Amino acid sequence: MAIKIAEVFHRRLVNRDDLQGDGKNTAVEFRDKFLKDLDNKDWWDDSSKTIEIDFDGVETLGPSWANEAFAYFTKFNVKPAKFFTKVIFKNISAVKKATVRTEIETGYNK
C-alpha cells in the first residue's frame, strides 16, 4: 500500500491534534484515516507487512505532527530500525526524514 500524503491528505503537516494551530489536517486525523492497521501489535510482528508513504509535494513537516503520526507506534516497543523497515518513506528530504527519526528515537510524547 502506498500513500501519496500530499495528494490524499495535505502538503503542510504541522498540527498534532485539533487543539494545535487551526486544528485542521492533524496527525491524529492522518493516523486514524491512513495508519489504522498499524495500531495493532500483530501488524508490527508480521514481517510481510509494510506501508509506503510518499512525501512528494509535502512542503512542511512539524515535529509534533511526526510525533503524533509516527512515534505513536513506539507504544508497541517498535525500535527505529524496525520502524523504518516496516514504514518506507519515498521522496522525503533529509531534513524531514531526520525529523521523523528524531521523533521515533525519543518515543511518543503527547
Side-chain angles (χ1 to χ4, degrees):
M1 172 168 77
I3 300 166
K4 293 185 175 191
I5 197 167
E7 289 180 22
V8 299
F9 191 68
H10 205 267
R11 65 185 190 283
R12 293 189 70 247
L13 310 176
V14 294
N15 296 330
R16 172 185 285 278
D17 55 28
D18 60 351
L19 300 176
Q20 188 176 20
D22 64 4
K24 296 179 182 174
N25 308 305
T26 69
V28 172
E29 180 184 352
F30 176 79
R31 195 180 66 220
D32 289 349
K33 282 185 178 179
F34 298 101
L35 305 180
K36 193 170 212 112
D37 291 348
L38 283 64
D39 201 4
N40 179 326
K41 186 173 179 354
D42 292 338
W43 189 91
W44 292 97
D45 291 339
D46 185 338
S47 62
S48 69
K49 296 198 185 242
T50 61
I51 189 169
E52 184 177 283
I53 301 175
D54 189 338
F55 272 71
D56 187 43
V58 171
E59 295 172 2
T60 308
L61 173 65
S64 62
W65 197 96
N67 185 272
E68 190 68 47
F70 304 123
Y72 171 85
F73 298 108
T74 61
K75 70 182 185 175
F76 297 116
N77 293 317
V78 177
K79 303 297 181 210
K82 184 173 190 174
F83 181 89
F84 287 106
T85 59
K86 305 276 293 164
V87 181
I88 294 47
F89 293 99
K90 275 183 70 177
N91 300 310
I92 188 169
S93 71
V95 171
K96 288 180 183 77
K97 184 128 186 202
T99 299
V100 173
R101 179 171 295 286
T102 297
E103 296 305 318
I104 296 297
E105 288 173 350
T106 58
Y108 180 61
N109 304 322
K110 175 118 184 176

